[in-house]
């Protein structure tokens, strides 16, 4: 006698939530939190740059821009007052902005195939999706930070013996806007940006970001490698002698502890608050770390201390006014090849408090609360770093076999880099971090 196969619960047409549509093993896993825990563990190791961001949640529509305002300072006046009333004074304000955008990615899992594998493909798919989310948000925060603190400093990429106003450059970051009464304003003929090119004063009156071309106010003949430096370029440190840009970096231009001391000195001179325990934070990759161990000054600091944790673990820890963070996501750059060879340029960064701001959409998990379908799909907010909550969304199967489950991560918001152009009498637009550059060997 043929027995009837009992109906499988995840094929029920009257399902009311996500868990009842999934295989029993997966329902148990979701109930005890393993799925959320796997997603969290996949994200956290990748989110090093977002962890240093201050948190300012906000609400707005996609594409909306939020203008942030920062006060300048009043000029000190150590002059005795005359008459019965003191003279009046004022201060300027400056602005920076964030844009509301959505980021995310989905992956579809055929649950029949997942059940046929030795290990759960569904859980593996969720873990891979989590890693993707972590890398995406980490790169978003990193790129915002580096576009600001590496911007305003580039070089001409071609030699042109004809005098003209078009200049091809390696990067246009930091040249697209100029502050007008504290407000970032697109560069134009009426709002030019002051620059030096090969040491000579000039202006930028237009920018083509697609072609990486600057339009100049004064015609000139270009030479490949000419340093192009904005009047509002942030302070930066390069290994080697007289290197205004990374174009001239070559083999042997290695990083030393003295370069990091210069970065700490700069931040202290600008009155930048320390970020952690009275120290600034240095994000370095393993190449930078290795070169520091070769530096004689660093070696002298640890002479006779070979059993210290620093040498035992090859981990710098905390010293020199810095918390040293090994971060292999620190971006690299190709030099201009001044010596005939294109060198790999490593770019560690030293940061103080307030260098980066996270501006996430407020309460992204609540947008289905009043729809009556809040449990289908299931949306879980997973805190993976300070100020970073990623939505993990599981959609019930939409196919006729009811076996293809879609999992999505989503984050809505932006990262912003506050400016301090009005502080301390320095023309640099951004002052809360210092980027360093050196060759790989």
């Amino acid at each position: 006698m043929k027995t009837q196969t009992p109906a499988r619960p995840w094929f029920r047409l009257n399902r009311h939530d996500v868990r009842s549509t999934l295989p029993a093993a997966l329902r148990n896993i979701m109930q005890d939190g393993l799925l959320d825990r796997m997603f969290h563990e996949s994200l956290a190791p990748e989110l090093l740059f977002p962890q240093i961001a201050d948190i300012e949640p906000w609400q707005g529509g996609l594409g909306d821009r939020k203008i942030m305002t920062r006060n300048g300072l009043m000029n000190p006046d150590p002059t005795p007052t005359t008459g019965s009333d003191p003279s009046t004074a004022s201060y300027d304000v400056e602005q920076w902005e964030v844009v509301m955008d959505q980021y995310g990615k989905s992956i579809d899992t055929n649950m029949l195939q997942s059940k046929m594998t030795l290990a759960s493909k569904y859980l593996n798919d969720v873990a891979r999706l989590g890693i993707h989310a972590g890398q995406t948000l980490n790169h978003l925060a990193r790129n915002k930070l580096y576009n600001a603190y590496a911007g305003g400093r580039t070089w001409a990429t071609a030699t042109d013996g004809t005098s003209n106003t078009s200049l091809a450059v390696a990067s246009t970051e930091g040249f697209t806007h100029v502050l007008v009464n504290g407000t970032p304003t697109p560069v134009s003929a009426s709002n030019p940006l002051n620059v030096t090119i090969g040491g000579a004063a000039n202006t930028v009156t237009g920018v083509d970001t697609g072609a990486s071309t600057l339009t100049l106010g004064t015609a000139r003949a270009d030479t490949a490698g000419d340093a192009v430096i904005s009047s509002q370029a942030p302070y930066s440190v390069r290994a080697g002698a007289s290197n205004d840009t990374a174009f001239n970096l070559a083999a042997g231009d290695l990083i030393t502890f003295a370069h990091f001391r210069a970065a700490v000195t700069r931040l202290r001179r600008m009155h930048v608050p320390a970020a952690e325990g009275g120290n600034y934070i240095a994000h370095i990759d393993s190449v930078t770390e290795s070169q520091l161990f070769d530096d004689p000054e660093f070696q002298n600091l640890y002479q006779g201390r070979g059993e210290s944790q620093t040498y035992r673990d090859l981990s710098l820890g905390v010293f020199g006014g810095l918390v040293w963070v090994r971060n292999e996501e620190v971006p690299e750059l190709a030099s201009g090849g001044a010596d005939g060879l294109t060198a790999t340029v490593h770019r560690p960064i030293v940061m103080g408090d307030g260098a980066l701001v996270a501006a996430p959409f407020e309460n992204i998990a609540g947008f289905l609360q009043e729809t009556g379908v809040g449990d289908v799909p299931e949306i879980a907010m997973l805190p993976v770093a300070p100020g970073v909550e990623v939505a993990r969304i599981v959609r019930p199967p939409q196919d006729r076999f009811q076996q293809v489950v879609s999992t999505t991560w989503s984050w809505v918001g932006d990262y912003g880099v506050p400016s301090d152009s009005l502080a301390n009498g320095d023309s640099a637009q951004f002052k809360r971090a210092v980027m360093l550059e050196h060759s790989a060997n």
Side-chain angles (χ1 to χ4, degrees):
M1 180 177 179
K2 185 176 181 181
T3 59
Q4 184 176 5
T5 303
R8 295 183 177 181
W10 58 88
F11 282 99
R12 290 201 313 257
L13 295 178
N14 62 340
R15 68 188 185 278
H16 60 83
D17 59 20
V18 170
R19 286 184 173 86
S20 66
T21 70
L22 299 178
L26 291 179
R27 294 205 307 273
N28 293 336
I29 289 173
M30 293 180 71
Q31 288 166 358
D32 68 15
L34 176 58
L35 180 59
D36 284 355
R37 188 159 62 250
M38 283 194 64
F39 198 84
H40 182 275
E41 289 171 356
S42 297
L43 276 170
E46 308 297 329
L47 288 171
L48 293 175
F49 283 110
Q51 290 183 25
I52 58 101
D54 296 335
I55 310 164
E56 294 191 18
W58 63 298
Q59 290 189 343
L62 289 180
D64 284 356
R65 297 177 181 270
K66 182 178 180 181
I67 306 299
M68 310 283 194
T69 302
R70 175 163 283 174
N71 294 324
L73 300 175
M74 297 174 63
N75 292 326
D77 184 10
T79 304
T81 59
T82 58
S84 58
D85 290 322
S87 60
T88 60
S90 62
Y91 59 90
D92 295 324
V93 297
E94 59 183 306
Q95 297 176 335
W96 52 281
E97 65 182 21
V98 289
V99 180
M100 184 70 75
D101 283 318
Q102 185 170 23
Y103 303 87
K105 192 69 68 175
S106 297
I107 191 167
D108 293 335
T109 306
N110 189 307
M111 299 309 299
L112 178 62
Q113 295 175 357
S114 180
K115 289 290 290 183
M116 291 178 178
T117 58
L118 293 176
S120 172
K121 184 177 184 298
Y122 179 62
L123 294 181
N124 187 64
D125 286 351
V126 171
R128 298 312 98 190
L129 192 67
I131 292 173
H132 176 270
Q135 291 176 326
T136 299
L137 293 180
N138 193 55
H139 284 197
L140 174 64
R142 180 197 70 180
N143 293 346
K144 293 282 186 174
L145 187 67
Y146 270 83
N147 286 345
Y149 283 97
R153 191 177 297 269
T154 187
W155 63 83
T157 57
T159 297
D160 186 354
T162 303
S163 181
N164 59 74
T165 59
S166 181
L167 175 63
V169 293
S171 172
T172 58
E173 293 292 344
F175 295 93
T176 59
H177 289 74
V178 63
L179 289 178
V180 178
N181 296 323
T183 302
T185 305
V187 167
S188 64
S190 56
N191 294 301
L193 173 65
N194 293 325
V195 298
T196 59
I197 306 175
N202 210 315
T203 58
V204 174
T205 59
V207 180
D208 185 339
T209 57
S212 292
T213 302
L214 305 178
T215 301
L216 306 179
T218 302
R220 67 184 301 276
D222 306 326
T223 300
D226 282 349
V228 185
I229 303 175
S230 164
S231 60
Q232 58 190 27
Y235 179 88
S236 56
V237 177
R238 267 158 299 282
S242 303
N243 286 332
D244 293 325
T245 70
F247 179 84
N248 294 316
L249 282 173
D253 290 334
L254 307 183
I255 200 75
T256 67
F257 181 55
H259 296 118
F260 284 95
R261 283 196 288 105
V264 171
T265 300
R266 162 68 180 185
L267 295 180
R268 288 175 175 172
R269 292 286 294 172
M270 293 295 105
H271 309 290
V272 177
E276 184 174 332
N279 299 292
Y280 298 113
I281 297 177
H283 281 244
I284 62 175
D285 62 21
S286 55
V287 173
T288 299
E289 190 175 38
S290 177
Q291 290 184 17
L292 285 172
F293 276 93
D294 286 334
D295 176 32
E297 180 181 359
F298 177 83
Q299 292 172 351
N300 289 336
L301 289 171
Y302 283 89
Q303 189 171 9
R305 299 172 60 190
E307 295 301 319
S308 68
Q309 183 178 356
T310 296
Y311 267 90
R312 186 176 67 245
D313 300 336
L314 284 183
S315 177
L316 298 182
V318 181
F319 82 95
L322 292 168
V323 176
W324 301 82
V325 178
R326 186 187 298 124
N327 185 352
E328 300 301 337
E329 293 291 321
V330 170
E332 298 174 359
L333 180 73
S335 72
D339 59 352
L341 298 173
T342 300
T344 299
V345 177
H346 293 259
R347 300 195 290 174
I349 192 168
V350 175
M351 293 169 284
D353 188 46
L356 186 67
V357 169
F361 182 81
E362 196 169 24
N363 192 25
I364 186 176
F367 67 87
L368 290 180
Q369 286 179 350
E370 299 179 2
T371 65
V373 294
D375 291 330
V376 184
E378 181 183 78
I379 301 177
M381 296 304 298
L382 306 178
V384 295
V388 181
E389 283 195 333
V390 175
R392 192 264 295 136
I393 305 166
V394 181
R395 188 187 71 181
Q398 303 292 304
D399 61 308
R400 289 185 173 87
F401 278 123
Q402 291 286 283
Q403 64 190 39
V404 178
V405 173
S406 179
T407 309
T408 300
W409 74 266
S410 174
W411 186 81
V412 181
D414 195 11
Y415 285 91
V417 180
S419 61
D420 280 290
S421 62
L422 299 178
N424 306 315
D426 189 293
S427 61
Q429 183 175 359
F430 303 102
K431 297 184 174 72
R432 294 178 181 248
V434 175
M435 188 198 67
L436 301 88
E437 294 180 325
H438 66 93
S439 65
N441 51 53

